[in-house]
Amino acid sequence: MASRDGDSICSIQMATGVLDGELDESPEVLQDQDETPCSVLFSMPASPSGLHLAQGMAGGAKVQIHDPARPRLMKHARFHSQPSMLIRGGGEAPAMPRSESMRERDRRLDHFRTFSGRLERQLSILRGAVPHEPPADDIECNAAAKNSIEHTEEDNDIPSADRYFAALEGPELETLRPAEVAVLPNGEPWPFLLRFPISAFGMCLGVSSQAMLWKTLSSEHSTGFLGVHPAVNRVLWWASVAITVIVSITYLLKVVFYFEAVRREFHYPVRVNFFFAPWIACLFLVKGLPRPEREIRHIVWYLLMTPILCLDLKIYGQWMSSGERRLSKVANPSNHLAVVGNFVGALLGAKMGLRELPIFFFAVGLAHYLVLFVTLYQRLPTSMQLAKELHPIFFFFVTVPSVASMAWARISGEFGHGPKLLYFVSLFLYASLVVRINLFRGVRFSLTWWAYTFPLTSAALATVLYASEVDNMLTRALAVGLAGIATVTVIGVMVSTVYHAFVSKDLFPNDVCIAITRQRPKFNKILAHLCLSSTDEATI
């Protein structure tokens, strides 16, 4: 063992032994000694004059005995005028307390908690608990950490849309760039609720749309030859309800305990579109209910479309008038979720017997879809190529025209020229993505893969309705083929999700996209972050 000031220490371990001839005379001491060995440490200062151990001991030794029942904090090694001998009871040194830098790191989570940990600390002080003072070794790093924490209020402000695009990269823009510093610690897993994203509702969209597909397969005459039993629809519907309830309750807990994280997700240009997903999934559940839609009370439709209308007013208003969040700056394929909810609502409302309001939502969705389609094709926000892991959301291009064609057919009462126009657009986009198979190879699994399921199922649904209007062998084969592809895709993605959630346990990594700073970090903040991280690793 080498001390910081160059002391040389020799350690003599004695399970049973004699110290100054006194241990032989006390059997109680020997009994205690058998249970707890002793350590004798001789500490000699570095001496340029060649001072030896015997000479040092002749000069007088200082003995300190530590009781293992009352461990003391270790102090810095210092130069002594005389050598020192340390006798410790117990085979192991007392555990080091957690460094104050660890405590400071944990406190960074308080800003994201709805019920901050400050109240708990105040109650601890009232009970008489004395705050732990950091060891002298961590003074410099703690000063840097405190200097970084002084800017917490500034960093925890909601970043601008440009800041999200500048600080993030990778799938769904959820990976922090190397030059960035996260507000939260990224070296260890965060609490589960803080890692649970709003994009998890993509699972609800995929499974609930399957329930709607198999209900359509069992009811449309174009697929009647398949002999699909209604029990398949019931099983899928109840499975969809279970998944939707689990995901909804989990995210509601996040809203309750980590509201700041939810607020940051809402201002994130990609995640904000997934706030439509819970209501769209509920519309799918109502549409896929194992009973005729006309038997459902209209109040259910009004309750589900009210939040979609509120989100439309908020998001579309930003697209049109907001400087930093206008559509030309934040457009990405996930924006289709902000549009498709209008068509799903129009489809369900028309099936339930409503007339005027379904046309209203169809018109609103169609107007904004045309603008979004042109904007995404021109790639006005950026000339950079999308990350490879982000390619699955390209299939959102298929979703809107597919659902819009079905909504138009239900509103007009027939699959006429208008619905066919939209259906053929979706079919062409579907084919143009399928032939580019290399675009989707090598993409690692994440929740983004659920972007395959909902669009493929929507295209299959539209094809079944089109086959009922244009009934021949080709349309029937196309309907069955697309329905089979959609079902196999949902099963494969579901199995992969279960594997990564419960076996490899990497489905929900740290959601660093909600932990970026409001401004690009300065060099001194990066140094403070590195110092804090190294101190934490040394303490652990």
Side-chain angles (χ1 to χ4, degrees), residues 55-304:
Q55 296 173 345
M57 291 298 296
K62 183 170 57 178
V63 179
Q64 298 178 353
I65 300 178
H66 287 252
D67 187 358
R70 296 188 303 174
R72 300 179 183 177
L73 295 177
M74 297 180 64
K75 299 182 180 180
H76 281 293
R78 300 178 180 177
F79 286 100
H80 299 281
S81 58
Q82 295 179 346
S84 60
M85 181 179 65
L86 176 64
I87 302 178
R88 272 198 198 125
E92 296 181 357
M96 288 287 294
R98 291 183 62 190
S99 171
E100 185 68 18
S101 59
M102 293 279 287
R103 300 174 182 268
E104 296 289 354
R105 181 189 63 184
D106 294 339
R107 290 174 186 172
R108 283 181 284 176
L109 294 173
D110 289 349
H111 180 77
F112 288 81
R113 294 190 178 102
T114 306
F115 307 101
S116 176
R118 297 177 181 177
L119 178 61
E120 181 181 354
R121 293 194 298 270
Q122 291 176 357
L123 293 176
S124 299
I125 294 176
L126 291 177
R127 289 195 300 264
V130 180
H132 173 72
E133 296 184 358
D137 289 340
D138 295 336
I139 292 179
E140 296 180 359
C141 285
N142 284 341
K146 292 179 180 179
N147 183 41
S148 176
I149 292 171
E150 289 177 357
H151 301 279
T152 299
E153 295 183 358
E154 176 184 348
D155 293 339
N156 285 330
D157 291 340
I158 298 298
S160 62
D162 292 336
R163 182 75 185 110
Y164 280 103
F165 287 112
L168 300 171
E169 61 183 0
E172 294 187 13
L173 296 177
E174 88 285 6
T175 303
L176 203 64
R177 295 184 185 272
E180 298 292 332
V181 175
V183 176
L184 298 179
N186 197 26
E188 59 183 14
W190 301 347
F192 173 73
L193 292 178
L194 203 58
R195 293 182 284 117
F196 192 81
I198 185 68
S199 56
F201 280 97
M203 296 184 289
C204 307
L205 292 176
V207 181
S208 59
S209 61
Q210 277 290 304
M212 189 168 64
L213 172 63
W214 284 89
K215 178 183 179 180
T216 304
L217 290 175
S218 62
S219 60
E220 290 293 329
H221 65 84
S222 61
T223 55
F225 68 95
L226 295 176
V228 178
H229 197 277
V232 179
N233 167 241
R234 287 194 291 268
V235 172
L236 289 173
W237 189 82
W238 282 109
S240 304
V241 170
I243 294 176
T244 303
V245 169
I246 293 174
V247 175
S248 300
I249 291 177
T250 305
Y251 200 79
L252 282 175
L253 291 176
K254 181 177 180 178
V255 173
V256 173
F257 294 104
Y258 296 99
F259 182 75
E260 175 62 22
V262 176
R263 192 165 72 101
R264 283 183 167 238
E265 280 191 300
F266 187 78
H267 287 82
Y268 182 27
V270 175
R271 294 281 181 82
V272 64
N273 302 291
F274 283 90
F275 281 85
F276 288 87
W279 314 108
I280 298 174
C282 291
L283 290 172
F284 280 165
L285 288 176
V286 177
K287 180 69 173 62
L289 190 68
R291 56 185 295 186
E293 290 86 348
R294 290 187 178 273
E295 298 180 5
I296 303 173
R297 295 183 179 275
H298 293 173
I299 187 63
V300 176
W301 187 86
Y302 292 129
L303 291 176
L304 294 178

Side-chain angles (χ1 to χ4, degrees), residues 487-507:
T487 302
V488 171
T489 302
V490 171
I491 294 175
V493 175
M494 176 60 73
V495 171
S496 300
T497 302
V498 172
Y499 173 80
H500 284 271
F502 299 102
V503 179
S504 60
K505 298 181 180 180
D506 58 354
L507 184 63

Side-chain angles (χ1 to χ4, degrees), residues 346-363:
L347 172 62
L348 178 61
K351 290 285 289 183
M352 295 174 65
L354 298 173
R355 188 66 182 173
E356 298 300 324
L357 287 179
I359 298 177
F360 166 78
F361 280 101
F362 182 88

Side-chain angles (χ1 to χ4, degrees), residues 8 10 42-44 50-59 83:
S8 60
C10 66
F42 296 93
S43 178
M44 298 295 298
L51 190 64
H52 296 287
L53 177 64
Q55 296 173 345
M57 291 298 296

Side-chain angles (χ1 to χ4, degrees), residues 346-412:
L347 172 62
L348 178 61
K351 290 285 289 183
M352 295 174 65
L354 298 173
R355 188 66 182 173
E356 298 300 324
L357 287 179
I359 298 177
F360 166 78
F361 280 101
F362 182 88
V364 172
L366 182 62
H368 289 86
Y369 170 65
L370 295 177
V371 178
L372 176 63
F373 183 80
V374 174
T375 304
L376 290 175
Y377 248 66
Q378 293 180 345
R379 295 296 300 151
L380 290 179
T382 175
S383 59
M384 294 187 302
Q385 185 180 4
L386 287 178
K388 190 171 185 179
E389 293 84 354
L390 197 60
H391 290 169
I393 69 173
F394 269 113
F395 271 86
F396 280 136
F397 277 97
V398 182
T399 306
V400 177
S402 299
V403 180
S405 65
M406 293 186 289
W408 195 338
R410 296 304 185 188
I411 291 174
S412 62

Side-chain angles (χ1 to χ4, degrees), residues 515-529:
I516 66 173
T517 56
R518 186 175 62 88
Q519 297 178 352
R520 185 179 179 86
K522 298 179 181 179
F523 185 69
N524 60 345
K525 286 189 179 182
I526 298 177
L527 290 180
H529 175 77

